[in-house]
Amino acid sequence: MTLNFGPRNVKALRILNSELADTLGNLLSRACAKSLNPRQVYPRLHAVQLDDLLRMDATKRLQDALQQIEARCAQHYADNNFYLVVDTVISTLHAANNFFETARPWELKRPIAAGGTDADAANTRNIENFERLETIIAMTMDTLRICGIVLQPIVPQLCGKLLDKLAVPQEQRLWRNLGECCFAMSPSISASNGNVTRPLGARTDAVLFRRIQLDESELLAAGQAYKPQEKRHTKPDVEENTSKQTKQKSNKKAGKSKKVAL
């Protein structure tokens, strides 16, 4: 599917350029960071931890966005409002970033050390923290997977790299795959069926975004002709008044010198 970026959809490119680097790229980098994800995997969901995380307000907002994204974006594509597709995806990614911040996964990577009778309790807590950390990363990557599938017609190369990094098989990158194994659609199913840990794509960098450039002819065709910047002049009125004052002073000096000469 090839998209024609007409006047309305130049806005889509502007949103992509301004938002994707900070929103999608940052979220992918954080989920793939070796400090949080040292095994470099797309982890599995853990049912107990997922159930607890779904009670958070930030998770509910993300869940709501993911439940609506398929229908909303399908309609926007049908109406050729590609910038609204991008806007919907960016809004979902903002909800995912907020979820990630609220869940604070970086606090779960530190092991709890305890000796004596507290050793078993510490070990249990460490396992719970590990499973919660994996679930947070899995939920974040699931969101990125869905957003990547939705954006494929607009930025196919970028989304291809994103889905490669997440190790999503080619046959699972279709529109019908949006709701598969998604915690937002059916938490009980996603935590059991098809829920396995898989290694991330090692050949793809987590830094994916490069700004999209349109040449002058494309911008002109979209009704967005380049406007050369006008040179700024330094306050002409002030300069004119200053020159007049200088002339007046020089005339006065000349008058005084003539009187002296007389």
Side-chain angles (χ1 to χ4, degrees):
M1 181 179 181
T2 302
L3 302 182
N4 178 24
F5 286 98
R8 289 182 301 172
N9 294 307
V10 168
K11 183 177 179 182
L13 291 183
R14 289 175 178 163
I15 296 173
L16 287 168
N17 279 336
S18 63
E19 291 279 6
L20 278 189
D22 293 334
T23 309
L24 188 151
N26 181 54
L27 192 60
L28 178 65
S29 296
R30 297 175 83 178
C32 296
K34 291 185 178 180
S35 57
L36 289 181
N37 192 354
R39 296 192 298 154
Q40 291 295 281
V41 295
Y42 190 138
R44 62 183 292 264
L45 295 162
H46 298 271
V48 174
Q49 301 300 332
L50 177 61
D51 183 62
D52 185 56
L53 287 165
L54 286 171
R55 297 192 181 109
M56 293 167 44
D57 288 340
T59 314
K60 291 177 182 178
R61 288 191 291 271
L62 174 58
Q63 186 178 28
D64 183 60
L66 289 170
Q67 288 172 346
Q68 296 182 49
I69 194 170
E70 181 177 356
R72 290 179 64 184
C73 289
Q75 186 60 54
H76 295 327
Y77 273 126
D79 295 337
N80 288 327
N81 288 326
F82 308 135
Y83 74 94
L84 290 178
V85 175
V86 176
D87 191 54
T88 301
V89 170
I90 294 298
S91 177
T92 302
L93 290 170
H94 283 163
N97 261 319
N98 179 253
F99 159 74
F100 198 88
E101 286 287 336
T102 305
R104 305 177 72 83
W106 52 88
E107 293 184 351
L108 301 171
K109 65 178 184 177
R110 294 188 290 267
I112 299 171
T117 56
D118 294 330
D120 290 341
N123 186 51
T124 300
R125 184 66 183 276
N126 284 330
I127 292 173
E128 291 174 351
N129 285 350
F130 173 76
E131 291 180 348
R132 188 178 182 87
L133 175 59
E134 280 206 329
T135 303
I136 292 168
I137 293 173
M139 294 166 73
T140 303
M141 289 185 173
D142 209 20
T143 302
L144 288 166
R145 176 187 66 85
I146 290 170
C147 291
I149 292 173
V150 170
L151 282 177
Q152 276 184 117
I154 299 176
V155 278
Q157 291 185 344
L158 172 70
C159 293
K161 290 180 180 179
L162 167 64
L163 297 172
D164 285 346
K165 183 63 181 178
L166 296 176
V168 179
Q170 291 290 336
E171 66 275 11
Q172 294 179 18
R173 301 182 182 190
L174 305 176
W175 195 266
R176 66 171 178 264
N177 301 123
L178 286 175
E180 292 180 1
C181 302
C182 177
F183 71 90
M185 310 303 179
S186 50
S188 59
I189 295 175
S190 61
S192 55
N193 300 333
N195 179 36
V196 295
T197 297
R198 61 174 180 265
L200 294 174
R203 296 183 180 180
T204 307
D205 193 352
V207 180
L208 302 177
F209 185 76
R210 297 294 181 271
R211 288 186 176 272
I212 302 165
Q213 300 293 336
L214 286 181
D215 60 32
E216 186 173 358
S217 62
E218 289 173 312
L219 285 171
L220 286 169
Q224 302 289 330
Y226 283 138
K227 293 182 179 180
Q229 293 183 349
E230 296 180 358
K231 294 182 180 179
R232 293 184 178 179
H233 299 286
T234 56
K235 299 180 181 180
D237 294 339
V238 175
E239 290 181 354
E240 186 177 349
N241 292 335
T242 304
S243 61
K244 286 181 180 179
Q245 291 174 0
T246 304
K247 287 181 180 179
Q248 289 174 358
K249 288 181 180 179
S250 60
N251 289 337
K252 287 181 181 179
K253 288 182 180 179
K256 286 182 181 180
S257 60
K258 286 181 181 178
K259 288 180 181 179
V260 172
L262 291 172

